[in-house]
Amino acid sequence: MTTTTGTTDTLTAATPKAAPHPLRAEAVRGFPPLAGAALMVACGAMMIATAREWQGDWAETAGQLHDGLLMALPVAAAAGCWHGGRERRRRTEELWGTAVRPPLARLLASAVPVALWTAVGYLLVLAAANVATWPYARGDHPHLILVPGDTAALMAAVLLGHVVGRIVPSLLAAPLLGVAGFAGLAAAVPEADVQPLDPASFTVHGSWPVWWQPLAMTAWTLGLALALTLAYAARRRATALLPLAAALTGAALLVQGGDATWQPDPFLRRQVCDTSTTPAICVNARYGGVLPQVTTALSGVTGRLKGVKGLPVRWADREHGPRADEAQLPILAPVGWSLVRGRLVDPHQYAYEAAAMLSDRGQCERASERVTFAVDAVQSYLAPSPGRGAFDAIEAKGDAAARAHLRASLAARAKLAGMDEERRKVWLSAYFAARATCDDEGVPSL
């Protein structure tokens, strides 16, 4: 019994452990993790620098991440190129030529970890950006439809760069490839027929790709990269025809699809309204959660309009202008101006702009001086401009004509503000009735 146990222990100790898979060895050490970290830092820095322009808006967050491919793709290609020239820099090419594994297996074992780490770096930035947007979002929902195509494009850039790094015997190949890639993507003409093939093309404002567009983009970018890889390293180069066919199919779908590959954002066509005021206040559904702030900001204006007739039915936040029975509300998009991280930056300025759009004569022909004074008086009564005092001070220092114009404006404002409530309601009702029909003669005098 003792002899058997000793023999078993000896055999167990002598059994060699299985060697780790080459992909695992490449993935956990060396350059690949550094490549992923470099891309994460580059994209993260870009997102942090522009946080005011996207944080709090799901659509802007997705668009900014996609537009970041303009920088991420050249970085990924340069990383793949640098890693592809590793054996040349180490002068171990001849040694690798004696290895049992075929060239394609060796290439993929070296390139795939870089591609995977690059994708991980990008996805971590994407996750962090969406987490940063979540506390401030006031409508809409996360947009992830672009993620598969963007991630595949980054991995394809690594594979293409890796092949270039093996072919071009120069230490400058990686930086030059990165610069050339950035210049090429930046110089791409949006109106060109091949623009749908550009994985870093800017998103169509107010639209999102149809469900099959990311699949076609994946087939185009990864198919082309795999075809080039197989043509370079496979023993049977005819195998490159299969991914090449997939790439050409994806390219044909993208080019032939044209505008049909994009569909309007349904949120942009919807309005969320507060009908407790007159006029009603409607904001775009993308920012439906901001409606209480807008209602509060306009409470002074709506309070002064109680009992006034002839008003538009509502304020509406429409990008293409108001309808016949509406007044334009100051547009909240793009974020970073009047709306930052889910909050109105300057409610007083916002109220002034809304009041100006409500009382302005819009598409009416150029008004007489009498009507101009009336418009200025109405705007000043509903919501004075935060900068009105500075403009008046400049006009007061002007020539005689400017000073006379200022005196007439101040007199008109004072007369409207000094009316008793009932008389002012009648006057404002007549003003808005004349405004609706562009009737200068119907505008009451002050």
Side-chain angles (χ1 to χ4, degrees):
M1 186 70 177
T2 303
T3 304
T4 304
T5 303
T7 303
T8 303
D9 293 342
T10 302
L11 291 173
T12 303
T15 302
K17 294 183 179 179
H21 194 279
L23 276 177
R24 180 181 180 278
E26 289 277 2
V28 298
R29 59 183 175 82
F31 181 76
L34 295 178
L39 188 134
M40 182 173 64
V41 169
C43 291
M46 181 269 295
M47 295 298 292
I48 291 172
T50 59
R52 183 185 177 94
E53 301 172 10
W54 55 264
Q55 196 172 9
D57 184 343
W58 292 117
E60 293 293 338
T61 300
Q64 189 69 24
L65 285 164
H66 175 74
D67 295 343
L69 289 184
L70 181 66
M71 177 178 60
L73 286 174
V75 171
C81 184
W82 180 258
H83 199 54
R86 176 183 62 176
E87 307 308 329
R88 185 183 300 107
R89 293 193 301 274
R90 293 177 176 178
R91 298 181 179 180
T92 57
E93 291 178 291
E94 294 184 3
L95 178 61
W96 271 106
T98 63
V100 176
R101 291 189 177 90
L104 179 61
R106 297 200 303 269
L107 186 149
L108 292 178
S110 178
V112 169
V114 181
L116 292 176
W117 272 106
T118 299
V120 168
Y122 177 74
L123 292 175
L124 287 175
V125 173
L126 183 144
N130 280 278
V131 169
T133 288
W134 175 72
Y136 306 106
R138 295 294 180 264
D140 206 349
H141 55 77
H143 295 277
L144 303 177
I145 191 169
L146 292 166
V147 175
D150 293 351
T151 307
L154 284 170
M155 299 177 70
V158 172
L159 289 178
L160 290 171
H162 196 92
V163 174
V164 173
R166 285 177 173 253
I167 294 174
V168 180
S170 173
L171 293 175
L172 297 177
L176 289 177
L177 180 62
V179 171
F182 179 80
L185 292 173
V189 180
E191 293 79 14
D193 292 337
V194 296
Q195 189 267 343
L197 301 180
D198 180 5
S201 62
F202 293 111
T203 55
V204 178
H205 180 66
S207 300
W208 296 106
V210 295
W211 65 270
W212 55 265
Q213 193 270 355
L215 301 178
M217 183 61 70
T218 298
W220 159 240
T221 54
L222 267 183
L224 187 63
L226 288 174
L228 181 61
T229 301
L230 292 173
Y232 170 75
R235 288 180 178 176
R236 297 180 179 178
R237 296 185 177 179
T239 55
L241 294 177
L242 184 59
L244 181 61
L248 293 177
T249 302
L253 289 173
L254 292 170
V255 173
Q256 295 298 323
D259 294 339
T261 59
W262 296 86
Q263 56 187 354
D265 188 343
F267 276 82
L268 287 181
R269 294 178 290 177
R270 287 174 47 203
Q271 298 277 301
V272 178
C273 299
D274 181 351
T275 58
S276 64
T277 65
T278 302
I281 302 172
C282 301
V283 299
N284 194 278
R286 261 171 74 171
Y287 314 102
V290 185
L291 181 59
Q293 295 182 52
V294 174
T295 301
T296 301
L298 299 183
S299 59
V301 180
T302 54
R304 290 180 173 89
L305 290 173
K306 284 184 178 179
V308 176
K309 300 177 182 179
L311 295 170
V313 175
R314 67 184 68 84
W315 273 293
D317 179 13
R318 301 185 192 277
E319 292 190 344
H320 301 295
R323 296 173 180 172
D325 57 348
E326 298 175 343
Q328 180 66 46
L329 194 68
I331 295 176
L332 295 170
V335 298
W337 295 90
S338 59
L339 184 67
V340 177
R341 296 183 177 91
R343 304 295 299 178
L344 285 177
V345 175
D346 190 343
H348 297 293
Q349 178 67 25
Y350 190 84
Y352 160 71
E353 293 176 4
M357 293 178 179
L358 178 70
S359 58
D360 188 61
R361 294 178 61 78
Q363 301 300 321
C364 300
E365 295 181 1
R366 184 178 179 85
S368 63
E369 190 174 45
R370 179 184 66 84
V371 174
T372 301
F373 288 141
V375 173
D376 176 70
V378 173
Q379 292 178 355
S380 297
Y381 170 71
L382 294 179
S385 168
R388 183 72 265 178
F391 286 111
D392 288 347
I394 294 173
E395 202 168 18
K397 296 177 181 179
D399 56 18
R403 293 195 299 272
H405 184 274
L406 175 61
R407 286 194 297 270
S409 295
L410 293 175
R413 295 177 208 166
K415 188 172 182 180
L416 179 61
M419 291 180 181
D420 62 77
E421 187 173 350
E422 290 302 321
R423 184 184 174 194
R424 187 165 48 237
K425 287 180 182 178
V426 172
W427 191 95
L428 287 173
S429 297
Y431 173 84
F432 281 105
R435 172 192 176 276
T437 59
C438 289
D439 179 15
D440 282 8
E441 297 299 325
V443 175
S445 299
L446 284 173

